[in-house]
Amino acid sequence: MMSVIAAKPLWMVGTARRVITPPAAVELAGLGYYLNRTCQRVRDDLSATALVVGDSQNCVAILALDLMYNDAGFTRRIRELVAAQTEIPAEAICVNFSHSHNAPTAGLILGAGERDWKYLEFAATEAAGAVIEAWRKRQPARLSVGNGELAGMTFNRTRENGPVDTRVSVLRADSADGRPLAVAVNFHSHCTAHMEADLRAVSRDWPGEVVDQIEAALPGATALYLQGTCGDVNFRREFNGTERRFEPARAITKVALEALETSRPIEQYGIATVTRKVTLPTRRWAREEVMRDRDEGLYRLKTGDTTGWLDGVARVCVNQPERLPLRYGGSVEKAVAAVARFAVEWTDEILPVLETRPEILEAEVAAIRIGDVYLVANPAELFTTLGLQVRRQWQRGDLFMLSYSNGSVGYLPDPYEVERRSYAAIQSPKFTAQFPFTKESGGAMVEGMVGALGQVQEGG
């Protein structure tokens, strides 16, 4: 009697992309205070790229946007629009931002990139449209997963020889007849290679180049870049704004393509998703901290005095405060005035709630299982040290680590950085109008991410 071997079920995969380049009046984000850095040129179009993966019962949507920050309201709007026209549950939609500094923001960065609400409604509508289109275009597909290492090109900007995550993770979808459909790439570094080459140009930065290069190497595939845990990591400074600024994308693409060549089929079948709220401890600003900044800001705005300006509010106002005047045409006076204005305005925001706001912050963590491949997403600029803790505690299967996802809580530093009261620890909560995180906050996020992974492993 002849035995019959059942064919392995195929996944259902769809992709789509929409252009979300802003008009000239929209401000680009993440460079300095009150610069009114509106876009004047388009180096390359910003996009929203959707990947929808389904099994016989469930679907998950992964959305990559070439924007800087992502707040919960923006994510909620996308989820509402998609849920109204598809069978994808809202919690099964993961919205990841590349964090390009030559793009607008959808999250609050006080003084460093005003949100344009009309543009954000357009971007959310187009992003949702990409997911809806991808869902409608699903076709039978096979999935594979792989990874490689990109060592020696990034550095930890908070401490000498500090940790970096060198993992390049790739997820690939091919049609039933073997044609490439989609490639998702996950890596971990700020994308600032092209930022200072043209401060008025809209750009996806190096993640866009990775996408373009992979699509050129695999005709027919739609590529998307998923930003990882890089709150404390950049590509080395010789790649930023120099003639070598094209090297990061080429290096990531090379590792990604090699990983695709050796990728393994995802043979375990099934999809599960989990979203959960994580409670992060914060500490209330001391009134003397707030008033010290406010008094300095008011004094400098009134007098124009720049004496000792690097010792006060400006000490951690950006990562390299001594370079800040370069963003104001070399004028120390203009730089100090901008920082002083910020000092007054952030204290205006926090003083009315200083005594009443709870000393906790809730954040959404999302976990996705595709077969035996896992993705875990958080809304922070998560420090590498914390991301690596998740990797150490979660040693099952391939793991994609996504930050800048489904919301925005700013930098989430590790205890070392909280202790030294750095830019990430002190300035970030000012421009996001939050209370500062504590030494326990990072551990709470790690616990939440690992817990979500454990829950999704068990089926959601």
Side-chain angles (χ1 to χ4, degrees), residues 149-167 187-189 229-230 232-236 383-385 387-388 391-392:
E149 300 291 328
L150 179 60
M153 293 191 70
T154 55
F155 76 104
N156 188 306
R157 67 191 192 188
T158 69
R159 65 209 76 175
E160 188 174 358
N161 299 318
V164 296
D165 191 340
T166 59
R167 176 73 60 89
F187 187 58
H188 318 272
S189 176
T229 54
C230 62
D232 50 356
V233 173
N234 280 36
F235 274 99
R236 297 201 315 261
F383 267 39
T384 304
T385 45
L388 292 175
R391 287 205 188 278
R392 286 192 294 270

Side-chain angles (χ1 to χ4, degrees), residues 352-423:
V353 296
L354 184 61
E355 307 299 337
T356 58
R357 178 180 291 179
E359 284 190 292
I360 58 169
L361 182 66
E362 283 199 335
E364 178 187 304
V365 167
I368 299 168
R369 179 176 60 79
I370 302 173
D372 60 353
V373 174
Y374 295 85
L375 298 86
V376 65
N378 72 85
E381 293 203 50
L382 194 70
F383 267 39
T384 304
T385 45
L386 302 172
L388 292 175
Q389 284 182 36
V390 176
R391 287 205 188 278
R392 286 192 294 270
Q393 294 184 38
W394 182 259
Q395 298 181 0
R396 304 169 184 84
D398 287 272
L399 178 61
F400 289 64
M401 300 276 293
L402 280 60
S403 294
Y404 308 94
S405 299
N406 303 327
S408 174
V409 298
Y411 282 91
L412 183 44
D414 58 14
Y416 169 88
E417 204 69 358
V418 172
E419 184 71 27
R420 76 185 192 101
R421 297 176 63 84
S422 68
Y423 165 75

Side-chain angles (χ1 to χ4, degrees), residues 237-255:
R237 299 199 192 280
E238 61 262 34
F239 300 123
N240 291 342
T242 72
E243 68 278 0
R244 300 184 64 186
R245 63 188 181 275
F246 300 99
E247 294 182 32
R250 293 169 187 158
I252 293 175
T253 300
K254 181 176 184 294
V255 174

Side-chain angles (χ1 to χ4, degrees), residues 315-376:
R315 183 185 67 85
V316 291
C317 66
V318 290
N319 270 305
Q320 295 178 288
E322 69 281 358
R323 291 174 53 85
L324 188 62
L326 296 176
R327 301 177 185 179
Y328 300 86
S331 170
V332 172
E333 289 76 16
K334 289 181 179 179
V336 172
V339 173
R341 177 182 167 188
F342 174 83
V344 174
E345 292 190 2
W346 93 262
T347 58
D348 283 342
E349 290 280 335
I350 210 69
L351 279 170
V353 296
L354 184 61
E355 307 299 337
T356 58
R357 178 180 291 179
E359 284 190 292
I360 58 169
L361 182 66
E362 283 199 335
E364 178 187 304
V365 167
I368 299 168
R369 179 176 60 79
I370 302 173
D372 60 353
V373 174
Y374 295 85
L375 298 86
V376 65

Side-chain angles (χ1 to χ4, degrees), residues 69-76 97 106-108 115 117 120 406-408:
Y69 267 131
N70 170 12
D71 73 9
F74 185 85
T75 298
R76 184 166 54 251
F97 275 31
L108 176 64
R115 288 176 287 184
W117 299 107
L120 291 179
N406 303 327
S408 174

